[in-house]
């Protein structure tokens, strides 16, 4: 069992993003929130805008993004968020987004995610969940590295938040068959692998970029009913129902789910400390890879924070994207 002294904050599983941001002024902070046209992304963007941040909604559907931007402006009385096209499964839009960014970047919140009910592939032949949830965000972050570095100088530090999930406990990274070219396809295992990758990204990004003033942390927002569930198969829905019945998680509101993301983005406890996995607004404890998720619903498996695996995944991802 993990015996380290874990980083703690004053917040809990019932805290909301608004509560985390109370008395915080983010005027002048430039933030990107991916997948901010629905669910957690909307609430994260709204909460940040409400305290002065200049938020860019990086979305696949810009029409939906415009609706969200208008609603955020009206509800907060703040600056209207920008809306920019970003399809994480399309390398062209990721490159275009990063190259078009001008000036410093202080917060990069890699919130977007996709769940599939069956095997889908990108034009490159990559498994869609891994390609979108990990590779797309990886390409975005590396493309914005310079902007984050400028942001770190501008405000004494920049942060990346990588949204993971309890699902990471189902699978580590299968480097021998990342894209399910030989093994039978299980959408839950594919999703789990992508969420483990999200956590490992935070580990290696911090190792590489902390000297630039950039830290990255992974977060588990908890069980929230969002648009992700629309593609669930009956088997996936049954698995989720069983997990809820076993007490692995209880559903949160989107306001509560966004709280852990916002903690990683603004809490002073994580200003200079990265490579962590947060759950319920606290740093999670590490459990063995063979641990039962039902016994450790708020833990993080070793494979999701292993430095050697994180280093290898970074190298593989760089090679795949030819960065």
């Amino acid at each position: 069992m993990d015996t380290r002294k874990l980083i703690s904050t004053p917040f809990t599983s019932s805290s909301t993003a608004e509560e985390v941001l109370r008395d915080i002024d983010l005027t002048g902070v430039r933030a990107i929130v991916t997948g901010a046209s629905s669910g957690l992304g909307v609430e994260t963007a709204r909460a940040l805008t409400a305290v002065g941040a200049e938020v860019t909604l990086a979305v696949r559907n810009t029409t939906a993004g415009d609706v969200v931007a208008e609603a955020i402006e009206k509800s907060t009385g703040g600056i209207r968020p920008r809306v920019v096209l970003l399809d994480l499964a399309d390398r062209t839009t990721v490159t275009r987004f990063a190259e078009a960014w001008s000036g410093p970047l202080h917060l990069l919140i890699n919130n977007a995610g996709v769940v599939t009910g069956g095997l889908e592939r990108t034009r490159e032949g990559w498994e869609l969940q891994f390609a979108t949830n990990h590779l797309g965000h990886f390409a975005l972050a590396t493309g914005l590295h310079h902007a984050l570095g400028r942001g770190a100088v501008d405000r004494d530090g920049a942060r990346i938040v990588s949204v993971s999930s309890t699902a990471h406990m189902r699978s580590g990274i299968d480097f021998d068959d990342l894209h399910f070219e030989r093994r039978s396809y299980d959408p839950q295992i594919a999703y789990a692998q992508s969420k483990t990758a999200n956590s490992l990204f935070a580990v290696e990004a911090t190792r590489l970029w902390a000297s630039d003033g950039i830290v990255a942390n992974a977060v588990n927002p908890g069980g929230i009913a969002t648009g992700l569930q629309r593609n669930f198969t009956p088997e996936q829905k049954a698995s989720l129902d069983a997990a809820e019945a076993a007490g692995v998680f209880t559903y949160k509101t989107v306001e509560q789910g966004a709280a852990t993301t916002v903690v990683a983005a603004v809490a002073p406890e994580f200003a200079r400390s990265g490579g962590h996995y947060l759950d319920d607004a606290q740093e999670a404890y590490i459990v063995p890879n063979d641990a039962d998720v039902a016994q450790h619903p708020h833990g993080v498996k070793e494979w999701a924070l292993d430095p050697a695996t994180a280093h290898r995944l970074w190298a593989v991802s760089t090679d795949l994207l030819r960065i």
Side-chain angles (χ1 to χ4, degrees):
M1 185 63 66
D2 191 0
T3 58
R4 297 172 302 121
K5 182 174 176 55
L6 303 176
I7 298 173
S8 62
T9 77
F11 306 104
T12 68
S13 61
S14 61
S15 296
T16 65
E18 187 173 307
E19 290 168 351
V20 174
L21 289 165
R22 187 170 294 149
D23 300 324
I24 289 179
D25 182 2
L26 295 184
T27 300
V29 170
R30 305 182 75 208
I32 293 170
V33 183
T34 69
S37 59
S38 64
L40 286 172
V42 173
E43 176 57 18
T44 301
R46 185 206 65 78
L48 293 173
T49 302
V51 293
E54 300 172 22
V55 178
T56 294
L57 313 182
V59 297
R60 186 172 54 181
N61 183 336
T62 55
T63 300
D66 286 334
V67 172
V68 170
E70 181 177 0
I72 288 175
E73 182 183 22
K74 288 181 178 178
S75 68
T76 65
I79 301 170
R80 182 187 179 96
R82 288 199 314 146
V83 179
V84 181
L85 174 66
L86 177 72
D87 182 347
L88 291 163
D90 183 341
R91 296 166 66 190
T92 301
T93 74
V94 177
T95 300
R96 185 180 300 130
F97 184 102
E99 290 180 346
W101 185 267
S102 177
L105 174 61
H106 307 102
L107 290 176
L108 173 58
I109 299 180
N110 290 335
N111 165 85
V114 64
V115 172
T116 64
L119 178 59
E120 297 182 45
R121 297 193 181 278
T122 66
R123 287 177 305 190
E124 296 86 356
W126 301 335
E127 191 277 319
L128 184 63
Q129 295 187 86
F130 186 80
T132 302
N133 301 346
H134 168 62
L135 289 174
H137 279 130
F138 179 88
L140 179 66
T142 52
L144 291 169
H145 177 213
H146 180 67
L148 287 161
R150 290 186 61 184
V153 172
D154 186 43
R155 294 187 67 91
D156 193 29
R159 305 193 204 187
I160 303 172
V161 182
S162 186
V163 178
S164 183
S165 167
T166 303
H168 86 271
M169 288 196 164
R170 286 179 174 266
S171 176
I173 305 295
D174 187 340
F175 288 104
D176 293 327
D177 192 13
L178 281 174
H179 300 292
F180 291 83
E181 295 167 320
R182 292 177 295 280
R183 53 180 165 154
S184 59
Y185 189 71
D186 182 332
Q188 294 184 76
I189 296 300
Y191 181 70
Q193 177 178 246
S194 75
K195 294 291 102 179
T196 292
N198 290 154
S199 181
L200 290 168
F201 165 81
V203 174
E204 185 68 359
T206 297
R207 187 188 74 81
L208 291 172
W209 296 346
S211 60
D212 299 325
I214 305 164
V215 296
N217 284 295
V219 302
N220 171 28
I224 303 125
T226 68
L228 276 181
Q229 286 84 29
R230 64 180 174 269
N231 292 324
F232 275 16
T233 64
E235 291 77 14
Q236 286 171 302
K237 291 175 182 177
S239 176
L240 193 62
D241 290 343
E244 183 184 11
V248 172
F249 73 89
T250 56
Y251 277 105
K252 293 181 179 181
T253 64
V254 290
E255 293 82 4
Q256 292 168 334
T260 302
T261 295
V262 172
V263 164
V266 306
E269 292 86 354
F270 295 96
R272 293 289 182 181
S273 191
H276 307 294
Y277 178 99
L278 283 66
D279 186 288
D280 285 348
Q282 314 292 325
E283 182 184 7
Y285 60 93
I286 300 174
V287 299
N289 290 334
D290 60 358
D292 183 352
V293 63
Q295 300 299 317
H296 301 282
H298 301 291
V300 55
K301 288 205 171 176
E302 292 173 324
W303 59 42
L305 293 177
D306 178 64
T309 306
H311 179 73
R312 183 180 180 186
L313 179 62
W314 191 282
V316 168
S317 301
T318 299
D319 184 58
L320 279 171
L321 293 163
R322 297 180 178 86
I323 294 173

